[in-house]
Amino acid sequence: MDYCLNENVKIISFTLNNKKVKAIIDDKTTLLELIRNVFGLMGAKEGCGYGKCGSCTVIMNGKSVRSCITKASKAEGSEIVTIEGLGGDDFSLDPIQEAFIDGGAVQCGFCTPGIIMTLKALFTENPNASEEEIKKALKGHLCRCTGYETILKSALLAKERINNNKK
């Protein structure tokens, strides 16, 4: 980590959606502010600002994190993936994104990126996650539109598709 004008301002380097990047931050900058305001990636949203709603979830070093309460300085040397980093370079969708569309789990879409990123981290670590493990991973994600039933069905559909593609 390089220091700039004063010790509260730093230059950090990390990988964002498979690209090496650098940014100038201060001690107060959150990972969400960095992702949205510096890199222009709008998938992660600030819902509550306290890490309670899940709409800001991204993957850092393979784990889902609430970017609204994670300091940007934690990104130093990390690998971060946002919803914009899923799928392929040809703009294809990740199987979880496809399952959410096919399962009708996307309504207003505000919470969807955070939920999908949590599921991506879960299924990467445990492709055979049980329904209870999926529910536990999604605990704390707030959705005002779907009633959660279609989200769970779509998560199970995504798990099935991911496991079928591995055969």
Side-chain angles (χ1 to χ4, degrees):
M1 191 173 324
D2 296 322
Y3 289 91
C4 294
L5 304 172
N6 63 48
E7 63 184 56
N8 295 330
V9 178
K10 302 166 184 70
I11 299 173
I12 60 170
S13 301
F14 59 100
T15 303
L16 179 60
N17 296 333
N18 292 317
K19 294 180 181 128
K20 297 281 186 190
V21 297
K22 286 185 176 191
I24 299 172
I25 61 162
D26 66 30
D27 290 343
K28 295 178 185 173
T29 306
T30 66
L31 182 57
L32 180 62
E33 292 167 337
L34 178 65
I35 290 167
R36 290 180 63 86
N37 300 340
V38 175
F39 295 102
L41 301 174
M42 300 297 165
K45 313 280 191 306
E46 182 167 351
C48 68
Y50 299 103
K52 301 291 184 193
C53 74
S55 62
C56 67
T57 303
V58 299
I59 297 173
M60 179 185 278
N61 298 327
K63 304 288 184 195
S64 63
V65 298
R66 305 291 169 102
S67 64
C68 74
I69 58 170
T70 302
K71 292 293 183 189
S73 60
K74 297 274 187 187
E76 173 65 29
S78 295
E79 184 173 323
I80 297 171
V81 181
T82 68
I83 192 78
E84 292 89 350
L86 296 186
D89 290 336
D90 60 352
F91 299 104
S92 61
L93 297 176
D94 183 89
I96 301 169
Q97 292 170 305
E98 289 178 346
F100 267 57
I101 293 168
D102 295 344
V106 179
Q107 289 191 23
C108 86
F110 193 87
C111 67
T112 307
I115 291 170
I116 289 174
M117 296 311 290
T118 295
L119 290 171
K120 182 70 174 179
L122 173 66
F123 293 147
T124 299
E125 186 176 308
N126 181 7
N128 295 307
S130 68
E131 185 172 328
E132 285 307 310
E133 290 169 317
I134 293 169
K135 286 179 182 178
K136 183 179 177 185
L138 294 179
K139 189 175 183 173
H141 279 275
L142 301 179
C143 174
R144 294 181 180 220
C145 299
T146 68
Y148 302 101
E149 208 170 293
T150 56
I151 292 172
L152 180 59
K153 286 180 185 177
S154 297
L156 293 168
L157 177 60
K159 179 183 99 166
E160 178 183 321
R161 289 179 178 177
I162 289 166
N163 287 318
N164 286 340
N165 285 340
K166 290 183 178 181
K167 295 178 183 176

